[in-house]
Amino acid sequence: MDYKISVQELENTPTKTANINFEEKIDGINCAEPITADLEVTSLGDFVEVKGRVKGKVKLECDLCLKEFDYDLDFDIDEMFAKNSLMENYSQETEIKEGQFVEDLQGNDEIDIYDLLYQSVILNLPNKKVCGINCNGDKFQKEENLTDPRMDVFKNIQIQPKDK
Ligand SMILES: [Zn+2]
């Protein structure tokens, strides 16, 4: 199935809005279940906004014990695309406010929802992948915490015995 949105066609609809119900495994991501997304694509003059909720289950490898585990995805996306190269002097992706990026379509008529979802899933994976609280590898994590420089303060605390 094709998940490309034509900006021109979007402009020609009375509401300037398109709804996409995505349900598919995404190439390049180890999906345990298809990724689902209910997205609303709206033309806002110079920009196109893609908003919605993404859910799914992916297989990740635990950083500590290297076992594969299922990770539930559930996040919102809110992406802006600039139709024309408004921002010639900036890089292709510009942050307009904290956490919100505008991607420049650079005259391209198409927004590739499949690619957008791929990027969003990758960005929403945890930095530290741990299979669970009972992970066999958790001793490594504890050792790591002890070498955290912020923990040094505790090593220097000495309890003074009270003189009688
Ligand atoms: Zn583990």
Side-chain angles (χ1 to χ4, degrees), residues 14-60:
T15 57
K16 300 192 190 303
T17 300
N19 289 295
I20 295 181
N21 294 304
F22 184 96
E23 186 170 356
E24 229 172 284
K25 291 190 174 181
I26 296 178
D27 286 340
I29 294 170
N30 197 353
C31 302
E33 286 172 10
I35 304 289
T36 62
D38 291 319
L39 301 176
E40 192 177 81
V41 187
T42 313
S43 171
L44 305 166
D46 289 328
F47 296 93
V48 176
E49 185 177 44
V50 182
K51 258 177 112 159
R53 186 97 178 253
V54 182
K55 289 185 183 185
K57 200 179 274 249
V58 294
K59 287 193 181 296
L60 298 178

CSV table of all heavy atoms in Angstrom, one decimal, residues 14-60:
chain,number,residue,atom,x,y,z
A,14,PRO,N,-11.8,19.7,0.0
A,14,PRO,CA,-12.5,20.8,0.7
A,14,PRO,C,-12.0,21.1,2.1
A,14,PRO,O,-11.9,22.2,2.5
A,14,PRO,CB,-14.0,20.3,0.7
A,14,PRO,CG,-14.1,19.1,-0.2
A,14,PRO,CD,-12.7,18.6,-0.4
A,15,THR,N,-11.6,20.1,2.8
A,15,THR,CA,-11.2,20.3,4.2
A,15,THR,C,-9.7,20.5,4.3
A,15,THR,O,-9.2,20.8,5.4
A,15,THR,CB,-11.6,19.1,5.1
A,15,THR,OG1,-11.0,17.9,4.5
A,15,THR,CG2,-13.1,18.9,5.1
A,16,LYS,N,-9.0,20.2,3.2
A,16,LYS,CA,-7.5,20.3,3.2
A,16,LYS,C,-6.9,19.3,4.3
A,16,LYS,O,-5.9,19.6,4.9
A,16,LYS,CB,-7.0,21.7,3.4
A,16,LYS,CG,-7.5,22.7,2.3
A,16,LYS,CD,-6.7,24.0,2.4
A,16,LYS,CE,-7.3,25.0,1.5
A,16,LYS,NZ,-7.4,24.6,0.1
A,17,THR,N,-7.7,18.3,4.5
A,17,THR,CA,-7.3,17.3,5.5
A,17,THR,C,-7.4,15.9,5.0
A,17,THR,O,-8.3,15.6,4.2
A,17,THR,CB,-8.2,17.4,6.8
A,17,THR,OG1,-8.1,18.7,7.3
A,17,THR,CG2,-7.8,16.4,7.8
A,18,ALA,N,-6.4,15.1,5.3
A,18,ALA,CA,-6.5,13.6,4.9
A,18,ALA,C,-6.3,12.8,6.2
A,18,ALA,O,-5.5,13.2,7.0
A,18,ALA,CB,-5.5,13.3,3.9
A,19,ASN,N,-7.0,11.7,6.3
A,19,ASN,CA,-6.8,10.8,7.4
A,19,ASN,C,-6.1,9.5,6.9
A,19,ASN,O,-6.5,9.0,5.9
A,19,ASN,CB,-8.1,10.5,8.1
A,19,ASN,CG,-8.6,11.7,8.8
A,19,ASN,OD1,-8.0,12.1,9.8
A,19,ASN,ND2,-9.7,12.2,8.4
A,20,ILE,N,-5.1,9.1,7.7
A,20,ILE,CA,-4.4,7.9,7.3
A,20,ILE,C,-4.5,6.9,8.4
A,20,ILE,O,-4.2,7.2,9.5
A,20,ILE,CB,-2.9,8.2,7.0
A,20,ILE,CG1,-2.9,9.1,5.7
A,20,ILE,CG2,-2.1,7.0,6.8
A,20,ILE,CD1,-1.5,9.5,5.3
A,21,ASN,N,-4.9,5.7,8.0
A,21,ASN,CA,-4.9,4.6,9.0
A,21,ASN,C,-3.8,3.6,8.6
A,21,ASN,O,-4.0,2.9,7.6
A,21,ASN,CB,-6.2,3.9,9.1
A,21,ASN,CG,-7.3,4.8,9.7
A,21,ASN,OD1,-7.1,5.4,10.7
A,21,ASN,ND2,-8.3,5.1,8.9
A,22,PHE,N,-2.7,3.7,9.2
A,22,PHE,CA,-1.5,2.9,8.9
A,22,PHE,C,-1.5,1.7,9.7
A,22,PHE,O,-1.7,1.7,10.9
A,22,PHE,CB,-0.3,3.8,9.1
A,22,PHE,CG,1.0,3.1,8.7
A,22,PHE,CD1,1.6,3.4,7.5
A,22,PHE,CD2,1.7,2.2,9.6
A,22,PHE,CE1,2.8,2.8,7.1
A,22,PHE,CE2,2.9,1.6,9.2
A,22,PHE,CZ,3.4,1.9,8.0
A,23,GLU,N,-1.3,0.5,9.1
A,23,GLU,CA,-1.1,-0.7,9.9
A,23,GLU,C,-0.2,-1.6,9.1
A,23,GLU,O,-0.7,-2.3,8.2
A,23,GLU,CB,-2.5,-1.4,10.2
A,23,GLU,CG,-2.3,-2.5,11.1
A,23,GLU,CD,-3.6,-3.1,11.6
A,23,GLU,OE1,-4.7,-2.6,11.4
A,23,GLU,OE2,-3.5,-4.1,12.4
A,24,GLU,N,1.0,-1.6,9.4
A,24,GLU,CA,2.0,-2.4,8.7
A,24,GLU,C,3.3,-2.6,9.5
A,24,GLU,O,3.6,-1.7,10.3
A,24,GLU,CB,2.3,-1.7,7.4
A,24,GLU,CG,2.2,-2.6,6.2
A,24,GLU,CD,2.3,-1.8,4.9
A,24,GLU,OE1,1.4,-1.2,4.5
A,24,GLU,OE2,3.4,-1.9,4.3
A,25,LYS,N,4.0,-3.6,9.1
A,25,LYS,CA,5.4,-3.7,9.7
A,25,LYS,C,6.3,-2.8,8.8
A,25,LYS,O,6.1,-2.7,7.6
A,25,LYS,CB,5.8,-5.2,9.6
A,25,LYS,CG,5.1,-6.1,10.6
A,25,LYS,CD,5.7,-7.5,10.7
A,25,LYS,CE,4.9,-8.2,11.8
A,25,LYS,NZ,5.4,-9.6,12.0
A,26,ILE,N,7.2,-2.2,9.5
A,26,ILE,CA,8.0,-1.2,8.8
A,26,ILE,C,9.4,-1.9,8.5
A,26,ILE,O,10.0,-2.4,9.5
A,26,ILE,CB,8.2,0.1,9.6
A,26,ILE,CG1,6.8,0.8,9.7
A,26,ILE,CG2,9.2,1.0,9.0
A,26,ILE,CD1,6.8,2.0,10.6
A,27,ASP,N,9.8,-1.8,7.3
A,27,ASP,CA,11.1,-2.4,6.9
A,27,ASP,C,12.2,-1.6,7.7
A,27,ASP,O,12.2,-0.4,7.8
A,27,ASP,CB,11.4,-2.1,5.4
A,27,ASP,CG,10.6,-3.1,4.6
A,27,ASP,OD1,10.1,-4.1,5.1
A,27,ASP,OD2,10.4,-2.8,3.4
A,28,GLY,N,13.2,-2.4,8.2
A,28,GLY,CA,14.3,-1.8,8.9
A,28,GLY,C,14.1,-1.7,10.4
A,28,GLY,O,14.9,-1.4,11.2
A,29,ILE,N,12.8,-2.0,10.8
A,29,ILE,CA,12.5,-2.1,12.2
A,29,ILE,C,12.0,-3.5,12.6
A,29,ILE,O,11.2,-4.1,11.8
A,29,ILE,CB,11.4,-1.0,12.6
A,29,ILE,CG1,11.9,0.4,12.4
A,29,ILE,CG2,10.9,-1.2,14.1
A,29,ILE,CD1,10.9,1.4,12.5
A,30,ASN,N,12.5,-4.1,13.6
A,30,ASN,CA,12.2,-5.4,14.0
A,30,ASN,C,10.8,-5.4,14.7
A,30,ASN,O,10.7,-5.3,15.9
A,30,ASN,CB,13.3,-6.0,14.9
A,30,ASN,CG,13.2,-7.5,15.0
A,30,ASN,OD1,12.2,-8.2,14.5
A,30,ASN,ND2,14.2,-8.1,15.6
A,31,CYS,N,9.8,-5.5,13.9
A,31,CYS,CA,8.4,-5.3,14.5
A,31,CYS,C,7.9,-6.7,14.9
A,31,CYS,O,7.9,-7.7,14.2
A,31,CYS,CB,7.4,-4.8,13.4
A,31,CYS,SG,7.9,-3.2,12.8
A,32,ALA,N,7.4,-6.8,16.2
A,32,ALA,CA,6.8,-8.0,16.7
A,32,ALA,C,5.3,-8.0,16.2
A,32,ALA,O,4.7,-9.1,16.0
A,32,ALA,CB,6.9,-8.0,18.2
A,33,GLU,N,4.8,-6.8,16.1
A,33,GLU,CA,3.4,-6.7,15.6
A,33,GLU,C,3.4,-5.5,14.6
A,33,GLU,O,4.3,-4.7,14.7
A,33,GLU,CB,2.4,-6.3,16.7
A,33,GLU,CG,2.1,-7.5,17.6
A,33,GLU,CD,1.3,-7.1,18.8
A,33,GLU,OE1,0.8,-5.9,18.9
A,33,GLU,OE2,1.2,-7.9,19.7
A,34,PRO,N,2.4,-5.4,13.7
A,34,PRO,CA,2.4,-4.2,12.8
A,34,PRO,C,2.4,-2.9,13.6
A,34,PRO,O,1.8,-2.9,14.7
A,34,PRO,CB,1.2,-4.4,12.0
A,34,PRO,CG,0.8,-5.9,12.1
A,34,PRO,CD,1.3,-6.3,13.4
A,35,ILE,N,3.0,-1.9,13.1
A,35,ILE,CA,2.9,-0.6,13.6
A,35,ILE,C,1.6,0.0,13.2
A,35,ILE,O,1.2,-0.1,12.0
A,35,ILE,CB,4.0,0.3,13.1
A,35,ILE,CG1,5.4,-0.3,13.4
A,35,ILE,CG2,3.9,1.7,13.6
A,35,ILE,CD1,5.9,-0.3,14.8
A,36,THR,N,0.8,0.6,14.1
A,36,THR,CA,-0.5,1.2,13.7
A,36,THR,C,-0.4,2.7,14.0
A,36,THR,O,0.3,3.1,15.0
A,36,THR,CB,-1.7,0.6,14.5
A,36,THR,OG1,-1.5,0.9,15.9
A,36,THR,CG2,-1.8,-0.9,14.2
A,37,ALA,N,-0.9,3.5,13.1
A,37,ALA,CA,-1.0,4.9,13.3
A,37,ALA,C,-2.2,5.5,12.7
A,37,ALA,O,-2.6,5.2,11.6
A,37,ALA,CB,0.3,5.5,12.6
A,38,ASP,N,-2.9,6.3,13.5
A,38,ASP,CA,-4.0,7.1,13.0
A,38,ASP,C,-3.6,8.5,12.9
A,38,ASP,O,-3.3,9.2,13.9
A,38,ASP,CB,-5.2,7.0,14.0
A,38,ASP,CG,-5.8,5.6,14.1
A,38,ASP,OD1,-6.0,5.0,13.0
A,38,ASP,OD2,-6.1,5.2,15.2
A,39,LEU,N,-3.4,8.9,11.7
A,39,LEU,CA,-2.8,10.2,11.4
A,39,LEU,C,-3.8,11.2,10.7
A,39,LEU,O,-4.6,10.7,9.9
A,39,LEU,CB,-1.5,10.1,10.6
A,39,LEU,CG,-0.4,9.2,11.2
A,39,LEU,CD1,0.7,9.1,10.2
A,39,LEU,CD2,0.1,9.8,12.5
A,40,GLU,N,-3.6,12.5,11.0
A,40,GLU,CA,-4.4,13.5,10.3
A,40,GLU,C,-3.4,14.4,9.7
A,40,GLU,O,-2.5,15.0,10.4
A,40,GLU,CB,-5.3,14.2,11.3
A,40,GLU,CG,-6.3,15.1,10.7
A,40,GLU,CD,-7.2,15.8,11.7
A,40,GLU,OE1,-6.7,16.9,12.2
A,40,GLU,OE2,-8.3,15.4,11.9
A,41,VAL,N,-3.5,14.6,8.4
A,41,VAL,CA,-2.6,15.4,7.6
A,41,VAL,C,-3.4,16.6,7.2
A,41,VAL,O,-4.4,16.5,6.6
A,41,VAL,CB,-2.0,14.7,6.4
A,41,VAL,CG1,-1.0,15.5,5.7
A,41,VAL,CG2,-1.5,13.3,6.8
A,42,THR,N,-2.9,17.8,7.6
A,42,THR,CA,-3.7,19.0,7.3
A,42,THR,C,-2.8,20.1,6.7
A,42,THR,O,-1.6,20.3,7.1
A,42,THR,CB,-4.2,19.7,8.7
A,42,THR,OG1,-4.8,18.6,9.4
A,42,THR,CG2,-5.2,20.7,8.4
A,43,SER,N,-3.3,20.7,5.7
A,43,SER,CA,-2.6,21.8,5.0
A,43,SER,C,-2.9,23.1,5.8
A,43,SER,O,-4.0,23.4,6.0
A,43,SER,CB,-3.0,21.9,3.6
A,43,SER,OG,-2.5,23.1,3.0
A,44,LEU,N,-1.8,23.8,6.2
A,44,LEU,CA,-2.0,25.0,7.0
A,44,LEU,C,-1.3,26.2,6.2
A,44,LEU,O,-0.4,26.8,6.7
A,44,LEU,CB,-1.4,24.9,8.3
A,44,LEU,CG,-1.8,23.7,9.3
A,44,LEU,CD1,-0.8,23.6,10.4
A,44,LEU,CD2,-3.2,24.0,9.8
A,45,GLY,N,-1.7,26.4,5.0
A,45,GLY,CA,-1.1,27.5,4.2
A,45,GLY,C,0.3,27.0,3.8
A,45,GLY,O,0.5,26.2,3.0
A,46,ASP,N,1.3,27.6,4.4
A,46,ASP,CA,2.7,27.3,4.0
A,46,ASP,C,3.2,26.0,4.6
A,46,ASP,O,4.3,25.6,4.2
A,46,ASP,CB,3.7,28.5,4.4
A,46,ASP,CG,3.4,29.7,3.6
A,46,ASP,OD1,3.1,29.6,2.4
A,46,ASP,OD2,3.6,30.8,4.1
A,47,PHE,N,2.5,25.5,5.5
A,47,PHE,CA,2.9,24.3,6.2
A,47,PHE,C,1.9,23.1,6.0
A,47,PHE,O,0.7,23.4,5.8
A,47,PHE,CB,3.2,24.5,7.7
A,47,PHE,CG,4.2,25.5,7.9
A,47,PHE,CD1,3.9,26.9,8.1
A,47,PHE,CD2,5.6,25.1,8.0
A,47,PHE,CE1,4.9,27.8,8.4
A,47,PHE,CE2,6.6,26.1,8.3
A,47,PHE,CZ,6.2,27.4,8.4
A,48,VAL,N,2.4,21.9,6.2
A,48,VAL,CA,1.6,20.8,6.3
A,48,VAL,C,1.9,20.1,7.6
A,48,VAL,O,3.0,19.9,8.0
A,48,VAL,CB,1.8,19.8,5.1
A,48,VAL,CG1,1.0,18.5,5.3
A,48,VAL,CG2,1.5,20.4,3.8
A,49,GLU,N,0.8,19.9,8.4
A,49,GLU,CA,1.0,19.3,9.7
A,49,GLU,C,0.6,17.8,9.7
A,49,GLU,O,-0.5,17.5,9.1
A,49,GLU,CB,0.2,20.0,10.8
A,49,GLU,CG,0.5,19.5,12.2
A,49,GLU,CD,-0.3,20.4,13.2
A,49,GLU,OE1,-1.4,20.7,13.0
A,49,GLU,OE2,0.4,20.7,14.3
A,50,VAL,N,1.4,16.9,10.3
A,50,VAL,CA,1.0,15.5,10.4
A,50,VAL,C,0.9,15.2,11.9
A,50,VAL,O,1.9,15.4,12.6
A,50,VAL,CB,2.0,14.6,9.7
A,50,VAL,CG1,1.6,13.1,9.8
A,50,VAL,CG2,2.2,15.0,8.3
A,51,LYS,N,-0.3,14.9,12.3
A,51,LYS,CA,-0.5,14.7,13.8
A,51,LYS,C,-1.1,13.3,14.0
A,51,LYS,O,-2.0,12.9,13.2
A,51,LYS,CB,-1.5,15.7,14.3
A,51,LYS,CG,-0.9,16.9,15.0
A,51,LYS,CD,-1.9,17.9,15.4
A,51,LYS,CE,-2.2,17.9,16.9
A,51,LYS,NZ,-2.8,19.2,17.2
A,52,GLY,N,-0.8,12.7,15.1
A,52,GLY,CA,-1.6,11.5,15.5
A,52,GLY,C,-0.9,10.6,16.5
A,52,GLY,O,0.1,11.0,17.1
A,53,ARG,N,-1.4,9.4,16.6
A,53,ARG,CA,-0.9,8.5,17.6
A,53,ARG,C,-0.3,7.3,17.0
A,53,ARG,O,-0.9,6.8,16.0
A,53,ARG,CB,-2.1,8.1,18.5
A,53,ARG,CG,-1.8,7.2,19.7
A,53,ARG,CD,-1.7,8.1,20.9
A,53,ARG,NE,-1.5,7.3,22.1
A,53,ARG,CZ,-2.4,7.1,23.0
A,53,ARG,NH1,-3.6,7.6,22.9
A,53,ARG,NH2,-2.1,6.4,24.1
A,54,VAL,N,0.8,6.8,17.5
A,54,VAL,CA,1.5,5.7,16.9
A,54,VAL,C,1.6,4.6,18.0
A,54,VAL,O,1.9,4.9,19.1
A,54,VAL,CB,2.9,6.0,16.4
A,54,VAL,CG1,3.6,4.8,15.8
A,54,VAL,CG2,2.8,7.2,15.4
A,55,LYS,N,1.2,3.4,17.6
A,55,LYS,CA,1.4,2.3,18.5
A,55,LYS,C,2.0,1.1,17.9
A,55,LYS,O,1.9,1.0,16.6
A,55,LYS,CB,0.0,1.8,19.1
A,55,LYS,CG,-0.6,2.8,20.0
A,55,LYS,CD,-1.9,2.3,20.6
A,55,LYS,CE,-2.6,3.3,21.5
A,55,LYS,NZ,-3.8,2.8,22.1
A,56,GLY,N,2.5,0.2,18.6
A,56,GLY,CA,3.1,-1.0,18.0
A,56,GLY,C,4.0,-1.8,19.1
A,56,GLY,O,4.1,-1.4,20.2
A,57,LYS,N,4.5,-2.9,18.6
A,57,LYS,CA,5.4,-3.7,19.5
A,57,LYS,C,6.6,-4.0,18.6
A,57,LYS,O,6.5,-4.6,17.5
A,57,LYS,CB,4.6,-4.9,19.9
A,57,LYS,CG,5.2,-5.6,21.1
A,57,LYS,CD,4.4,-6.8,21.4
A,57,LYS,CE,3.2,-6.5,22.3
A,57,LYS,NZ,3.2,-7.0,23.7
A,58,VAL,N,7.8,-3.7,19.2
A,58,VAL,CA,9.0,-4.0,18.4
A,58,VAL,C,9.9,-4.9,19.3
A,58,VAL,O,9.7,-4.9,20.5
A,58,VAL,CB,9.8,-2.7,18.1
A,58,VAL,CG1,9.0,-1.8,17.0
A,58,VAL,CG2,10.1,-1.8,19.3
A,59,LYS,N,10.7,-5.6,18.6
A,59,LYS,CA,11.7,-6.4,19.3
A,59,LYS,C,13.0,-5.7,19.4
A,59,LYS,O,13.6,-5.1,18.4
A,59,LYS,CB,11.9,-7.7,18.5
A,59,LYS,CG,10.8,-8.7,18.6
A,59,LYS,CD,11.2,-10.1,18.0
A,59,LYS,CE,10.0,-11.0,18.1
A,59,LYS,NZ,9.6,-11.3,19.5
A,60,LEU,N,13.5,-5.6,20.7
A,60,LEU,CA,14.8,-4.9,20.9
A,60,LEU,C,15.7,-5.9,21.6
A,60,LEU,O,15.3,-6.9,22.2
A,60,LEU,CB,14.6,-3.7,21.9
A,60,LEU,CG,13.7,-2.6,21.4
A,60,LEU,CD1,13.6,-1.5,22.5
A,60,LEU,CD2,14.2,-2.0,20.1
